[in-house]
Amino acid sequence: MTTISPEVVRKVVAEVVAEVVSRSAATTPVSDGVFPDMDSAITAADLAWRRYLDCSMKDRARFVKAIRDVALLPENLEYMARGCVEQTGMGNVPDKIAKNRAAAELTPGTEDLTTEAWSGDDGLTTIEISPFGVIGAITPTTNPTETIINNAIGMLAAGNSVVFSPHPRATEISQWLVRKINEALAAAGAPPNLVVTVTEPSIENTNAMMAHKLVRLLVATGGPGIVKAVLSSGKKAIGAGAGNPPALVDATANIEKAAKDIVAGASFDNNLPCTSEKEVLAVASITDLLKFEMLKHGAYELRDAADIAKLEALVVDGRHPVTEWVGKDACVILKAIGIEPPAGVKLIIAEVPFEHPFVRVELMMPVLPIVRVKDVEEGMDLAVIAEHGNRHTAMMHSSDVNALTKMAKRIQTTIFVKNGPSYAGIGIGGEGYCTFTIAGPTGEGLTSARSFARRRRCVLVGGLNVR
Ligand code: NAD
């Protein structure tokens, strides 16, 4: 009888195992990150996060770069912008391209995570910025892909995995992006399922996500309903809620520039950004000049009270905008009230009293009310009221440093833009990084990787101090 040595047996077994593993790798499809239900999505994201713990910071930086690169491919920027406009029926393609580009280029990555250290006779202590694990992120219909790009970069840079619960009206384009991100991450060698979502986003699925025990942090970008829901969940939550940003213009401002900036900011992506100018408070002595200059830059003024009333009946429903008109082109809105717009119109303006619903309601469409105020003091008082205490965003056009300072102190917004369009506040044409999750209510402000992380102390006793 021939005997086989243990060496040979070991070799044959190793070869067979290697063959089985390589065949199964070739036949197992790469996950596209889209799961049939929340439980399977979250379970996969949790496993991904555990594997991610073994990756180096260089790996993380490479994965973040892969997300940036795939989002920035010209054909993908174009596809996302068109898809968002077609599926949500809101916004415009060139501005969506600019927003997605800003999210991909200007969202901070791993460089945002800095270590604090103490060293002395007793040794060395560090505070390191560490991941939460699986994050549940809820994204809005107004910036669907921008928020996914922005959140995915920041959350993965901080070492987390993320489950997205997109707005149901932006399902298809959000899933398309999650699939693209998964392809790019797989090609970069990342563990599968760091970024996942579900086939049918819904309020029920969002609720299941908020209640799931493996989700450690909730990040809600949206209106007051969802911010309240995450803050009532019993979990650590970041709430990025509604705004109603005022723009105050005083008599010392460069009026021509203020007019140009306000039209540019308030018409950007048809006024969808939560940061966009939603009402103007103009000191009486310059109001006519301001309106005159705005008309030169693409504004159309409704002067007839009957037209203003018609527009109000069309776009305001009590305390809310009529969804059908949110993010629509100014020309489409004008036509709906029977006005044939001149070429190049991108913003509708109307002088109204402060109590008008156009001022109170967060319209999110290119309809901008202008309120005449007697002086800058009254303008500040009314701006604070119009902002509703959201502490979100405000603009002021002035060359009076004292007035600018006073307004900033009084209004307490997370973003205060001086002498520029609102989008300068999120890094588009203004200094500073970009975010699409501005957490006023919970205080993280303009979120970045470090907002999605825990501070952990590591203490080494009696060593490594070289002082
Ligand atoms: P929205 O509140 O209708 O929806 C936001 C998300 O929350 C969606 O995914 C939606 O499906 C979900 N959602 C809403 N209510 C829910 C509930 N009760 N339970 C479970 N899920 C719920 O907002 P929207 O229309 O998509 O976006 C516009 C709003 O978001 C505006 O108020 C705007 O100011 C705000 N926003 C804020 C920021 C910010 O960074 N602060 C950014 C973008 C938008």
Side-chain angles (χ1 to χ4, degrees):
M1 194 177 75
T2 327
T3 54
I4 303 173
S5 77
E7 279 311 304
V8 172
V9 172
R10 241 177 257 129
K11 192 163 170 268
V12 169
V13 169
E15 279 170 5
V16 169
V17 168
E19 178 66 15
V20 169
V21 167
S22 86
R23 276 192 200 176
S24 84
T27 52
T28 306
V30 175
S31 170
D32 67 358
V34 182
F35 287 80
D37 57 80
M38 266 300 167
D39 186 54
S40 51
I42 293 167
T43 305
D46 185 61
L47 180 61
W49 171 62
R50 288 173 197 289
R51 290 184 178 159
Y52 198 22
L53 286 172
D54 293 330
C55 294
S56 66
M57 291 302 289
K58 276 194 187 129
D59 291 333
R60 278 195 211 177
R62 199 173 67 250
F63 304 153
V64 164
K65 183 172 181 305
I67 299 175
R68 293 190 204 282
D69 289 349
V70 75
L72 285 169
L73 285 175
E75 62 270 28
N76 288 348
L77 281 175
E78 178 82 21
Y79 187 90
M80 279 186 282
R82 287 201 181 284
C84 283
V85 172
E86 279 162 20
Q87 290 163 35
T88 64
M90 298 176 184
N92 66 68
V93 172
D95 292 343
K96 291 240 182 258
I97 289 178
K99 286 164 70 185
N100 283 299
R101 185 191 296 286
E105 284 178 348
L106 302 175
T107 300
T110 51
E111 74 284 0
D112 198 47
L113 311 169
T114 47
T115 300
E116 288 167 45
W118 292 261
S119 75
D121 296 341
D122 288 335
L124 175 71
T125 292
T126 56
I127 296 271
E128 299 238 73
I129 300 192
S130 293
F132 270 90
V134 182
I135 299 179
I138 299 136
T139 52
T141 183
T142 46
N143 314 318
T145 50
E146 301 86 323
T147 311
I148 291 180
I149 295 167
N150 172 246
N151 283 182
I153 290 175
M155 290 169 184
L156 264 60
N160 306 284
S161 61
V162 51
V163 184
F164 281 109
S165 193
H167 193 287
R169 262 191 293 149
T171 299
E172 240 180 89
I173 195 66
S174 301
Q175 287 172 349
W176 177 88
L177 179 56
V178 165
R179 289 194 171 101
K180 285 282 166 196
I181 290 175
N182 272 273
E183 278 171 27
L185 288 174
N193 300 317
L194 285 174
V195 177
V196 299
T197 188
V198 288
T199 43
E200 278 188 41
S202 62
I203 288 196
E204 294 69 41
N205 269 329
T206 303
N207 290 338
M209 181 180 87
M210 290 193 288
H212 202 289
K213 66 178 189 312
L214 292 176
V215 172
R216 299 286 194 148
L217 168 68
L218 292 167
V219 179
T221 309
I226 190 60
V227 169
K228 188 168 177 212
V230 294
L231 293 182
S232 316
S233 67
K235 291 190 174 166
K236 160 82 180 171
I238 296 178
N244 196 36
L248 173 57
V249 188
D250 78 8
T252 70
N254 174 342
I255 303 300
E256 189 184 354
K257 182 173 181 303
K260 190 171 170 219
D261 287 347
I262 292 171
V263 174
S267 62
F268 186 54
D269 204 20
N270 296 350
N271 201 268
L272 285 179
C274 49
T275 44
S276 287
E277 293 81 352
K278 299 283 190 289
E279 61 277 335
V280 171
L281 301 139
V283 168
S285 59
I286 53 85
T287 307
D288 291 331
L289 178 59
L290 182 74
K291 288 196 293 181
F292 175 75
E293 292 293 339
M294 288 175 85
L295 299 183
K296 286 194 206 162
H297 294 287
Y300 179 94
E301 185 178 8
L302 284 186
R303 295 201 175 96
D304 188 342
D307 286 338
I308 296 175
K310 233 192 262 178
L311 182 60
E312 182 190 336
L314 184 78
V315 302
V316 179
D317 177 13
R319 291 190 297 136
H320 302 282
V322 175
T323 309
E324 188 189 343
W325 298 103
V326 170
K328 287 287 184 295
D329 288 347
C331 292
V332 174
I333 297 173
L334 281 174
K335 281 183 190 155
I337 56 164
I339 294 175
E340 194 49 45
V345 168
K346 48 187 181 179
L347 181 71
I348 303 165
I349 58 173
E351 194 173 331
V352 294
F354 180 70
E355 298 69 32
H356 197 277
F358 287 174
V359 177
R360 196 182 59 238
V361 177
E362 188 196 18
L363 286 177
M364 294 183 286
M365 62 186 78
V367 171
L368 186 67
I370 298 181
V371 176
R372 202 177 281 255
V373 295
K374 76 173 186 297
D375 54 25
V376 70
E377 285 295 328
E378 188 188 35
M380 286 187 205
D381 288 344
L382 296 185
V384 169
I385 297 169
E387 212 272 325
H388 301 310
N390 292 323
R391 297 184 161 191
H392 197 297
T393 297
M395 273 56 66
M396 184 163 172
H397 298 265
S398 171
S399 54
D400 179 346
V401 172
N402 292 331
L404 288 164
T405 307
K406 193 168 180 184
M407 167 77 164
K409 284 195 178 180
R410 288 188 55 188
I411 199 148
Q412 288 290 320
T413 47
T414 305
I415 298 177
F416 182 51
V417 178
K418 292 167 281 209
N419 299 326
S422 50
Y423 48 71
I426 52 167
I428 303 177
E431 288 299 326
Y433 62 88
C434 180
T435 186
F436 281 90
T437 297
I438 299 147
T442 47
E444 290 78 8
L446 288 95
T447 57
S448 60
R450 70 178 74 180
S451 319
F452 309 123
R454 299 154 57 220
R455 291 162 54 82
R456 294 172 59 207
R457 179 182 277 208
C458 258
V459 182
L460 183 119
V461 178
L464 288 184
N465 161 33
V466 294
R467 289 198 291 187

